[in-house]
Amino acid sequence: MKRLRVLRRGAGFGLLFLLAFSLTLAVVVRPRVQEIRAETAIMAERHLAYRVDHPGWSFPARVWSAPAELDQPTARLVEQARARNYNRVCPVAKPGDFCDKTGDVIPRGGPFLEGPQPPGREGWTRPLALEPVLVGWLIGDNAEIREHLPLERAPKHLINAILAAEDDAYYQHFGVNLRGVARAAWANYQGVGVQQGASTITMQVVRNLSQRKDRTLQRKVFEAVAAVALDHDLGKDAVLQIYLDAPYLGQWGSFSICGFEAAARFYYGVGAADLDLAQAATLASILPAPGRFSPDRHPDAARERRDRTLKRMVELGMLGPAEAAEAMNQPAQASQNGLPEPIHPAYFQATRAWLEEALPREALYGSGLQVHTALDLVAQARTETLLPKEALYLQRVAGQGGKAPLEVAGALLDVKTGLLVATYGGTQELPTDFNRATQARRQAGSSIKPVVYSMLLNQTDESGALRYQSNSTVRNSPRVFPDTDGWSPRNVGGDYSATTTLAQGLAWSQNVAAASALELAGGPTAFKAYAATLGFDTTSWRDEMGLSLGTGEVTPLEMARFVATVLDGGRLASGRPVVQATDAAGTLRVPAYAPRAQVIDARAAALTRSMMRLVIEYGTGGASRGASGKPGYNGPAVGKTGTTDSEKDLWFVGGTGDYASAMWLGYDQPKRIGASASDLAAPLWGWWMHAVHQGMPPKELPGLPTTGRSVCTQSGLRGNGSCRGIGAPFLDSDSYPKGVCSIQHPPPDPEQEKYEGLWKRMAREAEEKAAAQGATEAAP
């Protein structure tokens, strides 16, 4: 009896202790539980919005080319079909067929910017087009290959296999399986282990999202509380959705294969939606240790694990015995299907660089971006083929040997959109190599002069009228410019006059005229500010009058942007490669390009455009029409040559009704090239434009129309019979000069030595050699 009283007293004390402990626990632990719930909610929200990037949750970006609209000319459309490996069949019968005789084509459908489109010609939500092509993947430092698998696209047998293998009570527990915990604890106490652990799918999701891997009681408590919160706040389907994308499932070289979509493509070459039962059960079964159970390297172990899962599915009523037996009879062997190598490395690099500037790192490498670009597959392929081949030829023509190649870099923009459609970055093999078209900064030489003249033409008076016209004159005689420490530029060839028109100064690249135009427009400081509004990086430009002659360093992409801006009536061209980018949640991360800002008066842009046309028709860019027996571009075009001191950099910037472009020639370690831009850059640009325009009819230049009127090259007035004239452009007849030139110009000196270009000299020398050889053969 006494012992009974002691036991009762002890039980009373025990109950009091338990009550006190529970109250203390509630006071101390409850705030921490609330903290964990709040922390879990924020963590889940950030992950579901794809605003984090860490091991276990990195979604690489995929970069796509532009589609090819079906309204292109037949010859061009056929080339676009060939670039996508369509089958040549006449008449066409199925998606992926094209007929080169008729231009008929049946699109394959695919991942368009507007959304997935079906194969064939029916059911489209956008105009019919040839599909975008995958250019490559952008994978971050985590080196994870992962694709988003929407829960609604996951086959039911995959979900069932995951539940059977990992958490068969998933839809019964509240994030933590208390029975599983008790079972695991008892098994551990007995030292026999368990077939299925206590960690639920929800707890695994918490571990993956939180990245807490330490083996401590605190981590286990956090994991359990967070799992309960996640289960309550998100619900079963949302947690399962995260789980489908999260787990590590294999290795391909240095890259981790993560999530069931990427694993399905890696092992079986199909999307997760197309996995059969045996394949789905295999992927679900290798989860605990993909390195030991992967079906490509350890098929026997994978098969054993798969069959165990299939049997469990039968036990749970998810599967019939016959279905399971059929699946178990299938081999477990799988093969690796790695990522394709990126295509068009220069364009791919330009896209990566632009995205890294435009987006935070977690968005670029962690949100599963679908990046749609403006890449034109035909223009890009022709650019990559022609430029290096012809640069090598020009290097031989210029008599330059040595191991270092003559590098060429070019950027091609669509005039209408202002987007980058093709680029060539020089001898570049990998997408991570240096891209001379977008990254190399070299002095522009005279190719910058159209920018100077556009600045002068862009000035207006109080009424809004243009202050200057193409026949306005500037000083063109040797002089020392004030506040320049004695700077006195010289015209190449020594041709001077008291004054010259803006049209003549640009067409014949007169240095003194360009410097005088800059002086009149406001000087170097104002010019830097103006150039910055056009997209030039002027931070390294010095405040010096030499900017008028191209001492500032530029990239081909910046120069092409300027040409596109002029050709589109003064609206700023972005030059960006990306049209739009959307993340795995469907959130727009890079919106479509906004309306282009008006940075040059449309009237000034039209006059600049037409003055640049004179460069090709009358001036230093004539070789762009063809040279060395090779056809150049003979449609309406504008251009400007540029040669820096000692012929170390050669430029040609120009455009057509379709494309704006810029091209640079030079050596990585600057040295004399041995010829001018008129000799090498102009013909190369013409050959390039001839190639990229094949299959496209010539198009007139866009912008306000102008009319040509012959004026005296020196006075800008109507000629008096002794004047040398130039067809200066005007916006309307009201702008025509009213007076007649009063200067009596002397006739040209027949003894004056005229400049003989490289190709004319080569043709003359060939004729002289042939004549001499003929005379030798005719001699007795």
Side-chain angles (χ1 to χ4, degrees), residues 429-518:
E429 297 180 359
L430 300 174
T432 52
D433 290 345
F434 186 70
N435 188 331
R436 296 164 185 82
T438 59
Q439 294 177 302
R441 307 196 68 82
R442 302 295 282 261
Q443 288 190 343
S446 293
S447 67
I448 203 69
K449 290 176 181 176
V451 185
V452 176
Y453 285 105
S454 73
M455 178 184 176
L456 185 60
L457 291 168
N458 199 48
Q459 299 191 8
T460 57
D461 60 20
E462 295 78 5
S463 67
L466 297 182
R467 291 183 182 274
Y468 301 97
Q469 300 288 338
S470 65
N471 68 322
S472 299
T473 60
V474 290
R475 296 171 65 179
N476 188 40
S477 56
R479 64 189 178 98
V480 173
F481 281 77
D483 304 320
T484 61
D485 196 23
W487 186 67
S488 179
R490 295 288 184 267
N491 287 344
V492 177
D495 185 18
Y496 299 97
S497 56
T499 60
T500 188
T501 60
L502 302 186
Q504 177 73 2
L506 182 59
W508 287 98
S509 200
Q510 294 169 328
N511 288 339
V512 177
S516 298
L518 177 58

Side-chain angles (χ1 to χ4, degrees), residues 612-622 624-625 637-639 652 685:
M612 291 179 70
R613 190 167 184 169
L614 297 177
V615 174
I616 289 178
E617 295 179 348
Y618 303 110
T620 59
S624 64
R625 297 299 195 190
V638 304
F652 195 96
W685 182 86

